[in-house]
Amino acid sequence: IAERYCITREDALTREGYRHAGHIMLYGDSSAKLFGKIPIKHIVLMQMRFDGLLGFPGGLVNPSKETLEAGLSRELHEEVGVAVPVGVDNHVSSCLSPSSPRLITHFYIKKMTESELKEIERAAVTAATDHGLEVLGMVRVPLYFLKNGGGLPYFLSHSFISNSRAQLLSALQHCRLLSQGELEKAVRQAEQMRR
Ligand code: GTP
Ligand code: MN
Ligand code: MN
Ligand code: MN
Ligand code: MN
Ligand code: MN
């Protein structure tokens, strides 16, 4: 995330004439192995949006009517079918959106257990009112590297809403889900694919 666009949560809430959105990266550890041999290591959830772009679950919140965290929890109920509790301790950044003028995007991270994440994946299909409409499906982010850019590099070569790609990269770094070297390699390989 380009630091110059980021402000504190408190500063964000004092600004007038801005809309606010809250999105969250739900993630956790996993011992599952792809093809029985490649450890997936972590589950990181994103979603395919109605517009064909990848992004995180969440949405517009109205700080004059609800706290940012209650608004985000409400959006999660609509989009993943479970009202995941979100607190100020889950907040990681508040940034001026590079793509929408007068929009502040608040980003959160929450660690969950593998069974909680699997329950969210089920509820996103069976209980979420937005399923098939504003949300086309939850997707897991591949964090491994296969031959010829398979895995994270190919995932990063897709198109993302607003600054959600930067949010993903900074969250992977923040939570130490990948090393700095692995992240740089993934970004470099993804860059080569886009040419
Ligand atoms: P409606 O219910 O139709 O209003 O949608 P929503 O409330 O779910 O809003 P949405 O999730 O589309 O988010 C609102 C705005 O925030 C979008 O128009 C994007 O500009 C931006 N946005 C959406 N997803 C993300 C994300 O994952 N990260 C960031 N930084 N911005 C996002
Ligand atoms: Mn198979
Ligand atoms: Mn929504
Ligand atoms: Mn949304
Ligand atoms: Mn909404
Ligand atoms: Mn909606």
Side-chain angles (χ1 to χ4, degrees):
I1 299 176
E3 296 293 327
R4 66 185 181 281
Y5 293 115
C6 295
I7 56 182
T8 66
R9 181 182 175 287
E10 292 67 33
D11 181 13
L13 289 170
T14 62
R15 301 213 175 189
E16 278 176 31
Y18 278 84
R19 290 177 306 139
H20 296 262
H23 293 89
I24 190 167
M25 184 178 94
L26 301 173
Y27 81 101
D29 300 332
S30 172
S31 57
K33 290 193 170 97
L34 174 64
F35 309 134
K37 64 179 181 206
I38 300 165
I40 67 164
K41 295 196 270 199
H42 311 280
I43 295 170
V44 171
L45 298 183
M46 291 191 78
Q47 66 183 15
M48 178 55 71
R49 296 162 39 90
F50 65 93
D51 53 15
L53 297 172
L54 290 162
F56 289 100
L60 294 172
V61 299
N62 184 345
S64 67
K65 294 206 179 113
E66 57 191 351
T67 64
L68 293 175
E69 292 74 26
L72 173 52
S73 190
R74 173 184 54 70
E75 280 290 339
L76 289 174
H77 189 239
E78 296 168 7
E79 298 189 358
V80 303
V82 177
V84 182
V86 180
V88 178
D89 54 322
N90 298 117
H91 176 267
V92 286
S93 62
S94 296
C95 305
L96 305 182
S97 169
S99 50
S100 316
R102 308 232 137 221
L103 176 70
I104 297 175
T105 57
H106 303 271
F107 188 58
Y108 294 76
I109 298 178
K110 182 166 177 160
K111 187 168 189 184
M112 306 183 86
T113 66
E114 183 166 16
S115 62
E116 286 170 332
L117 291 163
K118 286 183 172 178
E119 176 51 32
I120 283 174
E121 289 176 317
R122 274 191 293 275
V125 177
T126 58
T129 54
D130 282 350
H131 180 67
L133 300 169
E134 291 172 36
V135 182
L136 303 183
M138 301 301 297
V139 296
R140 291 188 186 192
V141 180
L143 299 179
Y144 41 79
F145 292 81
L146 305 173
K147 269 184 237 122
N148 303 319
L152 186 59
Y154 259 116
F155 186 85
L156 293 175
S157 76
H158 295 309
S159 298
F160 291 77
I161 183 82
S162 187
N163 55 345
S164 61
R165 186 178 184 271
Q167 286 174 328
L168 171 64
L169 289 169
S170 70
L172 294 178
Q173 179 180 34
H174 177 91
C175 301
R176 299 178 190 279
L177 302 191
L178 287 174
S179 71
Q180 194 56 37
E182 288 170 318
L183 284 171
E184 283 165 14
K185 177 169 112 180
V187 168
R188 197 170 55 241
Q189 290 187 6
E191 198 52 52
Q192 284 161 1
M193 287 166 189
R194 296 168 109 164
R195 291 176 216 261

